[in-house]
Structure formats: structure tokens, C-alpha cells
Amino acid sequence: MGDEIQIDKQTFHDRLSHFLSAWKADKRSGDALFNGAGSILIVMGRTEDSASFAKNNAMHFWLLGYEFPATLFLFTTEKLYIVTTARKAKHLEPLKGGKIGVEVLVRGKDASHNAKLFKQIVDVIQTSGKKVGVISKDTSTGPFVEEWKQEYGDIHKEVEEVDISPALSAAALAIKDENELRSMRSASRACIGIMNPFFVNEMSEILDAEKKFTHSALAAKIDGKIDDPGFLKKIPKMPADFDVNQLDWTYGPIVQSGGNYDLKPTAQSDNNNLHAGIIIAGFGLRYRTYCSIIARTYLVDPNKSQENNYKLLLALHESVIKEIREGAIAKDIYNKALSMLKSKRPDLEKHFMRNVGAGIGIETRDPTLVLNGKNTRALKDGMTLCVTTGFNEIQNPEPQDKQSSVYSMVLSDTVRVTRSEAFVFTADAASDLEATSFFFRDEEEEPAPKPKEKKDARVGAVATKNITKTKLRAERSTQNDEGAEARRREHQKELHAKKQDEGLTRYADAGKEMNGASQKMFKRFESYKRDNQFPSKVKDLMIVVDPKNSTIVLPIMGRPVPFHINTIKNTSHNEEGDFSFLRINFLSPGQGVGRKDDQPFEDPQAHFVRSLTYRSKDTNRMQDISTQLTDLRKAATRKEQEKKEMEDVVEQDKLVEIRNRRPQRLPDIYIRPAMDGKRVPGEVEIHQNGLRYQSPLRQDHRVDILFNNVKHLFFQPCAHELIVIIHVHLKNPIVIGKKKTKDVQFYREATDIQFDETGNRKRKYRYGDEEEFEAEQEERRRRAALDREFKNFAEKVSEAGRNESVDVDVPFRELGFNGVPNRANVLCQPSTDCLVQLTEPPFTVVTLEEIEVAHLERVQFGLKNFDMVFVFKDFHRPPVHVNTIPVESLESVKEWLDSVNIPFSEGPLNLNWATIMKTVTADPHQFFADGGWSFLAAESDEEDNDSEEEESAFEMSDSELAVSEESSAEDSEFDEDASADEGSEASGGGMSGSEEGEDWDELEKKARRKDKESGMEEEDAKARKRKR
């Protein structure tokens, strides 16, 4: 016990108070859980080097955060008594004076004094009641325990001992708070990172190279990874404050293969070599005393029987996790899985495990929370379980060798119980058949790619805001209210100051790492795993282009050397004389400015081959190789672009259809983006967990949208529009046809062409204005009916998706303004949560909660339009521009931005946002330290100041103006003589007097004289007379 020990007093008293409150509540309700115990005794002996903890260890960690050996705890409903040594007591003394009384009794070397302390504890037990709660399977040993047993033995027969283990689990250990869950999540992420990719990569390399590697050696290699801080901190989703010193093993690692399997947690990795067959890997990690366990089964060159058994095990595992929720009974979960197994494969029942998991937390396995066929305990929100399903010792009908005749399979995941579906902490370590199957015998078949990570769709709910009626443009005064303008400016100052403080706080500790530009990673390209995979033509030492493996094999010094197409920069082919030359340039560091210049390399200091040149007299073959390489390079580039475009597309869960009744439908609906094939109307159905659009052409022409992937749901009426719309904006894009999209729209046209008016008998009796008036009335009724139908259906969708916070949002047309968000000039309309444009594709949906700041560009006198730019809180997301907004909408746009608490600024110029965002993402902390977004407002202020200074340069007082007028009048008084003199001087100087000396009167007289001479004046006079 070092001086660095610090017990959290607040947490200690909160948890102790919670435990005693549960005890008192149980007494009032009939002592069902605590078995009528009047006091609870927990004795801790000497510490043992064991990875798993018992109930007494767990209670120490739960209350104190540390383990105190040779210490006795006695709980009563009002007080806690602690007997311990003086060295430990100094850490416990600060716990006094809290909500619950704590009395620390200090032992010493005097045996008689120690006996008195134990006698005091015995007296408290006797006065508290006839029953004392103990841990029935307590195995504590040591001198302290023996000393206590001597004193306690005198009253052993006078009090009744009852097992308190289930009560400790239910009232203290089983239900975790947020801090405990956070520790378990960190432990789970470490488990995921070590299992996949580390273990999977190590296993693949050993099997691919056909190395002799024992299970124990591989387990030792895994064991060493928790001592590698660099590896642990690079694990995805690992929290920034992760402390590698707090991570330890709780069991394992265990690696098994080759017919010898033991599915118990106490199993050990033996010294047999890793066998290419069924390979089981499992281990548990403990972070800040909280555990997480993971186990996976990997199938190497499996046969059909093994694949089918694994699919069944995976289905059982998923069904167990699906049944786990608040209120579920432990035995019911196990029995449902067993019933499923009996219905599908009764022959495997004898191989199935006797339980499907147990509680996990500080204890590696809570014996009171085992998921077996007998446990009647109910699950509660906040509990954590290790779900383990497996088959033991199955006979292989098609063994590859003697070691493959018997095999076992197991899957383990750490999950959290919630009120709905269980949350799987270790789900990112893929367990589906595609991800766990490896094929090494077939030379042309590559290992199955790992599936993309599923994102937890429940994270990131958008907060709602309200726009009050007083913000409508129709109710505003046409004149600028100076008081309102002043209030808006003051409010904007507050918003900008708040945004600046949030930025400094957000990036205070992270610096460049929090939201900085991501570093490019070195990519390793592998053409062939073994020599026998080379094309057969390489034996002739000729250039071979292998499109299947995206590789070119070049003969170099008598050996075929493969180069992946991604290592080639470009090729050139030219002819000189009788020879044809093919030059191949490779990517290497320091090649100058270009798109590939910043590509990372594993070792930039190594020697690189810049280019290779081949000469041949066969011109046609050289030309053919150059063409093949160019086509291969284009195909690789296209493949990379497609992969990059689709990388954010996630695989949705399956739609759960409504079977017992007819689902609610909306018929005659078109969908955008349109599906492949003929454009015909389909129908939208509401199912248990999502929507389905079904085309009438083919059964497989359908689009499923799950509620947990819906970010916004909009209803736009057909008023002033040609269509009525239900629009769904998604959290993650889906693929419709061959294109990805985050917006799916269901609409119906509201024009007259959609309605058949033939057969209306009244038409032949109605003529002129009366008929036209009735047609208008009919169109209004149709449009109102369409709006009601679509609005009711949107509300039903919202009701069905209420568990995923799906709400209907309606755009405010009164607040709309015209602009160009993409290509066309459209009406942009604010809604409660967004700014939307839903009429013309591509659609625009900007979530207000995600906006950092808005900036108005080209706001200056004389321009008819201005632009608006939205910068998002995710600085890696490109800003959204709405261009060419009429200047008449400037005040209404400002008012709307201010009403939804978005800080905005304005300036006279368009800014280079790509450069600005690159600066921001490079070092966000420094950006906010230098003033953040204040430079946007500073620019507009500088422009205003410049214009004011320019105007003030021409300001004059009245007296100065009078003096200047007098002086100008004096200067302009010239008599005819002076003009004549100046004219003669000017002519003498070689310049025309009319150009310099004559005034306007002189010029007019000359013009009249010329008109008289030419007769023009008489014609003008006649014309004036005719006009009169």
C-alpha cells in the first residue's frame, strides 16, 4: 500500500448508500433477496495471484477501488465496521463523516487488543439479529482469517449463516454505472484489436508460410501485445485517456487446434503445433478491474458440414443475444436457444454447452447470474454478460487428416443489457462465416474480405429546436427596427463568444490529434503469396501482364520479379530505328510536385528503382504491353475510386416484416432516386423496424429503409408545388441501383394530368367561367386530400419509428428564400431542424445542429445577390454553399439564422474555403487560440471602416465650402481681351486656342455661326413650328 492510493470518497458513499438502500427495501418487501440477514460479514485474507476475483475481492474493488488484504467488513443497515491494520487504516480514515457511518478499528501486534476488536464485531453481529450474511463459498486463508475464526467460533451456533452472494450481485455488482461501463468498453476495444487484426494476421502468416508454430508460442506472442503501448493506442475507437498500465489479463490467451479442445475458461494453450483446421482463440482482458471476454472460431479450408455447423452456432449465438433485454429470465434465454437447436439439429444437442454465458464485471464469471436452464433470475438494464455458445467434440465426417477427426466451436461476446436490444461491446471483431473462413489449399482463391464495420445507429440523436410564429417574415415590419438590429448584434456577439469558448475547450487537450488532418498510411500491395501462383509464361523470362492479380512480371537479371500495378507511376513507348523501347516509371519519394507526391512509403530512406527500360525488335508486342499496362492502370484507378465512393456505405440490418396483419400502405408512389427499369408507381409499406418501397415490376425491385438509419423525416405539402413529398434523410448512405444516396423521396404528382376527368356528365352542361371556377375548386379539393393522405402516412411512420426518435418535420415556406445550392435556382426552406430543398434533385438537407458558423459573402452595396456558406462542426466535411440569394432576402436570412442560434458573419468577397478549412484542420487548437472565426467578422469591419474613411476624406465644413466657391468664381472670371490674349499666346505656342482658351459660351456662338452658314438652323426652326 503506497501513499499514491486515493479512495474516491464520493463514489464510496454513493455505492454504500445504494447497497444499504437496496437491503432496507428488501427487508420491507419480505427479505426475498438478503434472506433476512441482520448483518453482512465479508472477510479478506491474504492475496492470491489469481486473475479471477471472488465476491469478497469484488466488493473491495467496487467500494474502494483497491484490494485490502487482511481486512474485515461488517455491514449493518446503518453503519459499516472495518477491522484492518494501521497502515491501511490511514487510507480509510478520510471516509468518515459521509452519508453512512464508518467505524475503522485498527489492529496492532498486541493479541489481546486484537481479540477485543473481534469481540466488538461479534457483539454487533449478535445485536443486529439472529441471521448473518456470509459468502458461502469463501476460500479466504491466512493468519488474519484464522484469528477471526477462533473468536467467531464461540457464537457460530448462536447465529444462523445465510448465503449473501446473490444479494451482493443484485444490489452491488451486477448493474453497472456509466464509469464502470466505460471501463468495460475500453477493455472490449482492446480485446477486439488484439483478436482482429493482430491474431488473425499472425495466424494467417503462420499457416500461409506453413511454419511450425506451437499454440503456447502463439499465445505468448499475443500475451506480449498488452505491454506494447504503441499498438494499444492505435486500436480504433480507443479513448484518448486510455491508460495502458491499467490493462491486464483476466484469463488466457488460449489458442487451440488439431483435435484437442477444452472450452472451459481454465484451459491452457498446449505445446502442439498450430493445425490448419478448426482454430479457437479466446482471452479476457481487465481494464481498471472490469473484464471483457472474447472468443472466436476460425475455419481453415472447411468442408460443408463444418460450415453448416458454424452457421447454426452463429444463429444460436445471435438468437441468445436477441433475447437478452430487461425483464428476460436467465433460464428462458437458454431454453429458447436449446429449443431452436432441437428443432434444427437434434443430433447436436449432446454437444451443446450446458449454459450460454454468465454475468461479467469485476468478477470474470458471476456464479449467481449464469444463463442455464435452471436460473430464475431476471435481467436488468445496466447488467453486463459474457455470452458464450459452443459445440464440443463433434465428429468430422470428412476429416483431412487424423487431427481433424474431432473438432469444437465456440463464440464469446461481452454484451450490455438494455431495455430493448442488447448492445454487443465486442461486435467489431467479425464472427460471420465470410470473415472467419480461410482457404489456403486453393491457390487462386483469396481469403474472404472482412466485412465493413457496423455503426451503432443509436448514437448521435439530433436535438430539436423551435421556430416561433413571431419569426415569420409576414409579421415583420418593412422598416429596419434599430432596436431589433442592436439586439441581434448583441445576440450574435454572445453566440460568437460562446462558439470561441467551446472551440478552445473542445481542443484544449487534444491539440492537433483531436480533429487534425488524418495522416496517410503506407499501403502494402501483395501480388502473389507463393511462387507457384506465378503465371506459367514467366518461365520464358518474358514480360507478362497478369490482369487477374493486377500485376506485371518483369524479367530482371534472369529472375521474374512481380510489380503490383499500384507501384507503377506511368509507362511510355517509343521507337528508335529497328528497336522499340518500353519505359516503366515507378512511384518513389521525391519525384516532384504531383498528386502522388505525398504518398507515404514504409522506408523513404531505402533505395528505390525509379524506372526500367526494355528494348525489343518486336514493336507490336511492346505496343501491346504498353496498352495492357495503361488499361490495367485505368482499371485499378477506377476500382480505387469506386471503393472510396462506397466506403461510407454501411450494411443495414434486415427489415422485420409484419406477418400477422396487413401492413399500412401508401399506393401509387414514385421514388427518387429512380430505380432501374421502367418508371411505374409502386407502394410504400410500414413494417416493424422500417419502410419498404415495392415496385410492381419485379419482386426483388425494392428499397428497405430502417428506422435506426433515419436521420430526418420530412413532409412537404403540394401547395405552390407540382408534387407532394415524403422525404427521408439517412444517417448512413444506402445503395439504390448502382448509386449510393443519403436521401430517399416518395412522391405523387398533384397536376391535372394525374386525374381522369372523363365521364363527368356535368361537363356538357357547364360552359365558360362557371366551369373554370368549378375546376379550380376541384383542384383545390384534390390537393387538400393529397396533403391529408401524405401527412397522415408520415405521422404513422413517425409513430412506428418512435423508439428510434423518428419525427415528422415540415418546411416553413413563409421563411423560404431562393438560392442555388447545387445547379438550379430553387426555393430553400427552413424547417424545425434543417434547411432543406426537396423539390429538385440533387436534394439539399443541412442539419442545423451540425453547423458551426454561417458566413454571408458578396454583401455590398450595388450587388443584387449574395452567397451563404455553412461551415460544419466536423471540419473535415466540406462547407455547403447556397449561392445567388436575392439581396431582398438578406434581412430575413439574418433574422432566421439569429433565431436558430447560428453565429453568422458577412463580408464583401468570396473566400477560398478549401484553404481556410485546410488551415483549420491542420491545428484546430491553434486556430481557436488565434481567435477562431473572428477573422470573418474582422474582414467585414475593415471594409466598413475603409469605406467610411474614403467618404470622410471629402467632407468639408460650410465655411470652407463658401471660401472654395468664392475662389473658384474669381479664378473663372476671364474677359474677352484676356481670352484673346491667351488665344494668341496659345496659337503662338503651336496649340489651338479653341482647345485651351475658349469657354462654353464661345463654343456655342461658333456652332450657331456654322449652322447659319450650312442652313441647319432654318430647318430646325421649321421642325419646331410643325411640332407646335
Side-chain angles (χ1 to χ4, degrees):
M1 294 284 174
D3 293 334
E4 70 277 8
I5 293 177
Q6 291 184 352
I7 301 172
D8 190 338
K9 183 177 180 180
Q10 183 66 37
T11 302
F12 170 84
H13 279 284
D14 287 345
R15 292 182 176 179
L16 180 60
S17 177
H18 172 79
F19 177 72
L20 297 184
S21 297
W23 187 4
K24 293 174 185 177
D26 183 65
K27 281 183 174 295
R28 290 192 296 269
S29 59
D31 289 323
L33 185 61
F34 286 76
N35 295 322
S39 58
I40 297 174
L41 182 66
I42 297 177
V43 181
M44 174 73 74
R46 69 159 65 98
T47 55
E48 298 179 1
D49 294 330
S50 175
S52 60
F53 294 156
K55 282 283 188 296
N56 49 6
N57 307 76
M59 284 300 293
H60 275 244
F61 280 112
W62 186 69
L63 285 173
L64 306 174
Y66 301 91
E67 188 182 38
F68 282 65
T71 300
L72 179 146
F73 282 0
L74 180 66
F75 298 84
T76 67
T77 55
E78 303 298 332
K79 199 171 185 180
L80 170 62
Y81 297 86
I82 304 176
V83 180
T84 188
T85 61
R87 189 179 177 186
K88 303 183 190 79
K90 69 177 182 180
H91 301 295
L92 300 172
E93 287 293 333
L95 301 178
K96 294 181 178 179
K99 302 176 185 177
I100 308 297
V102 177
E103 184 172 349
V104 181
L105 306 178
V106 182
R107 285 165 43 83
K109 296 182 179 180
D110 186 358
S112 59
H113 173 71
N114 295 341
K116 290 179 181 179
L117 297 180
F118 284 140
K119 181 66 172 64
Q120 184 178 345
I121 295 298
V122 169
D123 293 339
V124 174
I125 293 174
Q126 290 177 321
T127 55
S128 299
K130 295 183 179 180
K131 293 183 178 181
V132 57
V134 296
I135 300 171
S136 59
K137 296 181 180 180
D138 186 12
T139 57
S140 300
T141 58
F144 177 84
V145 177
E146 297 299 325
E147 202 174 330
W148 160 250
K149 286 181 178 179
Q150 290 178 3
E151 190 67 31
Y152 178 68
D154 297 336
I155 64 156
H156 184 69
K157 297 180 181 179
E158 299 177 12
V159 294
E160 179 185 353
E161 292 184 350
V162 293
D163 186 15
I164 207 68
S165 299
L168 296 179
S169 175
L173 303 174
I175 300 175
K176 314 296 188 298
D177 59 30
E178 186 55 37
N179 290 329
E180 295 171 292
L181 292 172
R182 192 178 296 113
S183 296
M184 293 194 68
R185 276 194 293 268
S186 298
S188 299
R189 285 169 184 150
C191 286
I192 293 167
I194 293 176
M195 179 65 74
N196 190 354
F198 179 74
F199 171 78
V200 172
N201 290 343
E202 290 294 323
M203 176 190 71
S204 302
E205 287 184 14
I206 292 169
L207 297 176
D208 191 30
E210 299 179 353
K211 297 179 183 177
K212 300 294 183 182
F213 216 86
T214 65
H215 298 143
S216 57
L218 182 54
K221 204 167 186 179
I222 300 170
D223 191 359
K225 294 312 290 183
I226 69 166
D227 298 323
D228 185 355
F231 169 81
L232 294 172
K233 289 184 178 180
K234 289 180 182 178
I235 293 175
K237 300 181 183 179
M238 193 64 82
D241 59 348
F242 181 79
D243 185 2
V244 295
N245 296 320
Q246 297 286 344
L247 190 68
D248 199 2
W249 295 104
T250 183
Y251 91 90
I254 302 170
V255 182
Q256 303 177 73
S257 67
N260 296 322
Y261 301 95
D262 184 358
L263 302 187
K264 297 177 182 177
T266 56
Q268 298 292 327
S269 299
D270 57 28
N271 291 321
N272 295 328
N273 290 327
L274 188 69
H275 177 260
I278 302 298
I279 299 174
I280 294 177
F283 49 82
L285 287 172
R286 184 188 303 278
Y287 182 72
R288 298 188 188 275
T289 72
Y290 287 89
C291 305
S292 178
I293 291 176
I294 189 172
R296 293 289 182 266
T297 299
Y298 295 98
L299 293 74
V300 181
D301 298 319
N303 54 42
K304 276 291 180 185
S305 173
Q306 291 173 329
E307 287 184 349
N308 292 335
N309 289 339
Y310 185 81
K311 287 179 182 177
L312 177 60
L313 177 63
L314 193 61
L316 290 169
H317 192 74
E318 290 174 350
S319 71
V320 169
I321 293 176
K322 189 176 180 180
E323 290 297 325
I324 292 174
R325 58 171 55 87
E326 186 174 26
I329 306 301
K331 68 175 185 179
D332 293 345
I333 297 172
Y334 177 82
N335 290 332
K336 285 181 181 179
L338 193 61
S339 300
M340 179 180 175
L341 179 62
K342 289 179 179 178
S343 63
K344 293 187 175 182
R345 290 288 301 276
D347 57 310
L348 290 178
E349 181 184 353
K350 60 182 179 181
H351 301 285
F352 193 55
M353 301 178 70
R354 294 293 172 258
N355 63 73
V356 291
I360 190 172
I362 297 177
E363 296 177 281
T364 307
R365 185 176 185 272
D366 186 352
T368 67
L369 193 55
V370 179
L371 304 180
N372 56 23
K374 298 179 181 179
N375 195 348
T376 58
R377 188 167 174 186
L379 303 184
K380 294 183 179 180
D381 184 14
M383 287 183 174
T384 50
L385 306 171
C386 174
V387 177
T388 302
T389 54
F391 296 131
N392 202 7
E393 296 184 353
I394 303 175
Q395 293 296 322
N396 188 359
E398 300 173 11
Q400 304 169 8
D401 47 41
K402 291 182 180 180
Q403 292 177 299
S404 303
S405 58
V406 178
Y407 65 93
S408 298
M409 294 178 169
V410 68
L411 289 173
S412 291
D413 281 300
T414 303
V415 305
R416 177 199 169 180
V417 182
T418 67
R419 294 179 181 176
S420 53
E421 297 179 356
F423 183 79
V424 185
F425 286 131
T426 51
D428 287 345
S431 58
D432 59 280
L433 182 62
E434 188 179 17
T436 56
S437 299
F438 296 85
F439 299 88
F440 294 97
R441 285 184 300 174
D442 189 354
E443 296 177 356
E444 296 184 1
E445 188 169 351
E446 295 293 330
K450 301 166 194 171
K452 294 184 178 179
E453 298 179 355
K454 288 187 178 181
K455 297 181 180 178
D456 185 7
R458 291 171 289 187
V459 178
V462 180
T464 58
K465 290 185 178 297
N466 294 316
I467 300 177
T468 60
K469 292 182 179 179
T470 56
K471 297 299 180 184
L472 296 179
R473 187 167 51 192
E475 297 180 9
R476 298 183 199 145
S477 172
T478 55
Q479 301 295 326
N480 289 334
D481 185 355
E482 294 183 1
E485 177 70 19
R487 286 193 296 272
R488 189 170 68 196
R489 287 185 178 180
E490 191 63 31
H491 185 220
Q492 282 297 311
K493 285 182 181 178
E494 293 175 3
L495 292 176
H496 279 284
K498 183 179 178 182
K499 190 64 65 177
Q500 174 70 6
D501 293 341
E502 287 177 358
L504 289 172
T505 305
R506 183 179 173 189
Y507 300 106
D509 299 325
K512 295 182 180 179
E513 298 177 0
M514 182 73 178
N515 201 23
S518 58
Q519 297 293 325
K520 289 191 175 183
M521 301 298 292
F522 171 77
K523 291 183 179 180
R524 187 184 290 275
F525 303 106
E526 189 174 38
S527 298
Y528 307 105
K529 291 183 177 296
R530 291 180 290 277
D531 293 344
N532 55 10
Q533 292 179 337
F534 278 83
S536 57
K537 293 182 180 180
V538 301
K539 296 178 181 178
D540 301 329
L541 290 179
M542 58 190 298
I543 300 175
V544 179
V545 179
D546 185 3
K548 184 178 179 181
N549 294 299
S550 301
T551 299
I552 179 172
V553 183
L554 302 174
I556 299 176
M557 299 181 69
R559 289 181 177 273
V561 181
F563 292 91
H564 197 276
I565 192 64
N566 286 326
T567 64
I568 297 175
K569 185 179 181 182
N570 53 43
T571 60
S572 63
H573 171 251
N574 52 32
E575 300 177 12
E576 294 182 9
D578 296 335
F579 291 98
S580 180
F581 292 86
L582 176 67
R583 180 184 176 93
I584 302 173
N585 298 316
F586 297 95
L587 292 170
S588 59
Q591 288 183 322
V593 179
R595 187 170 57 88
K596 294 284 186 180
D597 188 50
D598 58 347
Q599 176 170 333
F601 291 87
E602 190 173 21
D603 183 9
Q605 303 301 321
H607 293 281
F608 287 84
V609 177
R610 282 285 180 90
S611 64
L612 292 173
T613 304
Y614 289 87
R615 185 181 68 174
S616 174
K617 290 187 177 182
D618 192 347
T619 304
N620 293 332
R621 172 161 171 75
M622 283 298 187
Q623 180 64 45
D624 184 48
I625 292 173
S626 179
T627 304
Q628 289 184 54
L629 282 176
T630 303
D631 294 341
L632 194 60
R633 184 70 194 138
K634 289 179 181 178
T637 304
R638 186 170 59 252
K639 187 176 179 181
E640 284 183 9
Q641 290 175 347
E642 292 174 355
K643 184 179 179 182
K644 186 176 181 181
E645 185 180 354
M646 294 294 178
E647 63 184 1
D648 58 343
V649 177
V650 300
E651 182 182 353
Q652 291 193 119
D653 296 333
K654 290 185 178 180
L655 185 76
V656 180
E657 299 182 37
I658 294 176
R659 299 290 187 184
N660 56 354
R661 60 178 174 84
R662 187 180 178 86
Q664 293 171 324
R665 289 185 171 94
L666 187 64
D668 299 326
I669 298 299
Y670 294 95
I671 186 173
R672 292 196 291 192
M675 302 178 69
D676 297 335
K678 187 178 178 181
R679 180 179 176 270
V680 292
E683 60 181 12
V684 184
E685 302 173 346
I686 303 177
H687 289 276
Q688 291 186 28
N689 64 336
L691 302 175
R692 168 169 288 173
Y693 175 81
Q694 180 65 58
S695 171
L697 294 178
R698 285 169 51 184
Q699 190 65 23
D700 60 342
H701 270 213
R702 59 176 61 164
V703 176
D704 292 344
I705 301 173
L706 300 190
F707 292 137
N708 61 14
N709 195 28
V710 175
K711 189 174 183 179
H712 299 294
L713 175 67
F714 300 100
F715 160 67
Q716 181 173 295
C718 56
H720 308 287
E721 299 288 351
L722 298 178
I723 56 176
V724 58
I725 295 170
I726 292 178
H727 187 97
V728 182
H729 183 66
L730 305 175
K731 297 174 183 175
N732 301 303
I734 61 174
V735 177
I736 297 180
K738 295 181 180 179
K739 295 182 178 180
K740 72 172 185 178
T741 180
K742 287 188 76 173
D743 293 277
V744 182
Q745 189 175 101
F746 307 111
Y747 71 96
R748 191 187 297 170
E749 295 176 357
T751 54
D752 289 340
I753 199 171
Q754 289 295 108
F755 299 91
D756 183 12
E757 294 183 347
T758 58
N760 188 352
R761 295 179 181 178
K762 293 183 180 181
R763 288 181 61 87
K764 62 182 179 180
Y765 302 112
R766 304 288 184 181
Y767 301 96
D769 295 341
E770 187 179 353
E771 185 181 32
E772 187 176 341
F773 176 74
E774 185 176 340
E776 290 176 359
Q777 293 275 56
E778 181 64 25
E779 183 179 356
R780 279 196 290 269
R781 283 194 292 269
R782 283 199 305 265
R783 284 176 172 267
L786 269 179
D787 287 345
R788 283 195 301 271
E789 183 181 5
F790 270 66
K791 186 178 182 181
N792 291 337
F793 189 79
E795 289 174 349
K796 290 175 182 177
V797 173
S798 176
E799 178 65 22
R802 63 184 182 275
N803 291 335
E804 300 293 341
S805 302
V806 178
D807 295 320
V808 183
D809 204 354
V810 182
F812 298 109
R813 191 177 183 86
E814 300 86 353
L815 298 177
F817 52 88
N818 287 309
V820 184
N822 290 292
R823 294 188 294 268
N825 195 319
V826 292
L827 180 67
C828 300
Q829 304 176 69
S831 70
T832 305
D833 297 320
C834 304
L835 175 68
V836 299
Q837 183 283 116
L838 308 177
T839 307
E840 295 289 336
F843 309 113
T844 301
V845 179
V846 180
T847 305
L848 303 182
E849 278 293 320
E850 297 175 355
I851 296 174
E852 176 83 0
V853 293
H855 183 63
L856 309 179
E857 300 179 326
R858 297 195 300 124
V859 179
Q860 54 179 310
F861 180 76
L863 293 183
K864 295 181 179 180
N865 303 299
F866 68 97
D867 305 331
M868 180 163 55
V869 182
F870 292 114
V871 180
F872 295 100
K873 294 177 181 177
D874 179 5
F875 296 147
H876 292 286
R877 185 176 169 186
V880 167
H881 297 251
V882 181
N883 299 324
T884 324
I885 305 172
V887 74
E888 292 81 10
S889 303
L890 179 59
E891 285 302 315
S892 60
V893 168
K894 288 182 179 180
E895 192 67 26
W896 167 67
L897 290 172
D898 189 66
S899 68
V900 293
N901 295 326
I902 294 178
F904 68 86
S905 54
E906 58 183 85
L909 303 174
N910 290 106
L911 303 178
N912 188 341
W913 287 99
T915 305
I916 292 172
M917 298 314 297
K918 192 173 182 180
T919 304
V920 175
T921 55
D923 190 350
H925 176 69
Q926 187 61 42
F927 171 75
F928 281 101
D930 293 340
W933 302 108
S934 60
F935 76 94
L936 296 174
E939 276 192 8
S940 60
D941 292 343
E942 288 173 6
E943 292 292 333
D944 294 341
N945 293 336
D946 292 343
S947 60
E948 289 174 4
E949 288 173 5
E950 290 172 5
E951 291 171 3
S952 64
F954 296 97
E955 290 180 0
M956 301 178 70
S957 65
D958 294 340
S959 58
E960 289 174 341
L961 183 61
V963 172
S964 65
E965 287 177 351
E966 291 174 3
S967 61
S968 62
E970 292 171 359
D971 293 340
S972 62
E973 290 176 355
F974 295 101
D975 54 16
E976 294 179 1
D977 297 337
S979 300
D981 293 342
E982 288 181 4
S984 61
E985 288 176 7
S987 62
M991 296 182 65
S992 173
S994 62
E995 292 178 353
E996 194 172 44
E998 296 178 353
D999 61 4
W1000 285 106
D1001 295 335
E1002 295 286 339
L1003 292 173
E1004 285 179 2
K1005 290 176 182 179
K1006 277 190 177 184
R1008 277 197 205 96
R1009 283 196 298 269
K1010 287 183 180 180
D1011 290 343
K1012 285 180 181 180
E1013 292 172 0
S1014 60
M1016 291 288 292
E1017 191 171 357
E1018 294 177 2
E1019 291 180 5
D1020 292 342
K1022 290 178 182 178
R1024 285 196 292 271
K1025 287 179 181 178
R1026 284 197 297 269
K1027 287 181 181 178
R1028 290 175 185 172

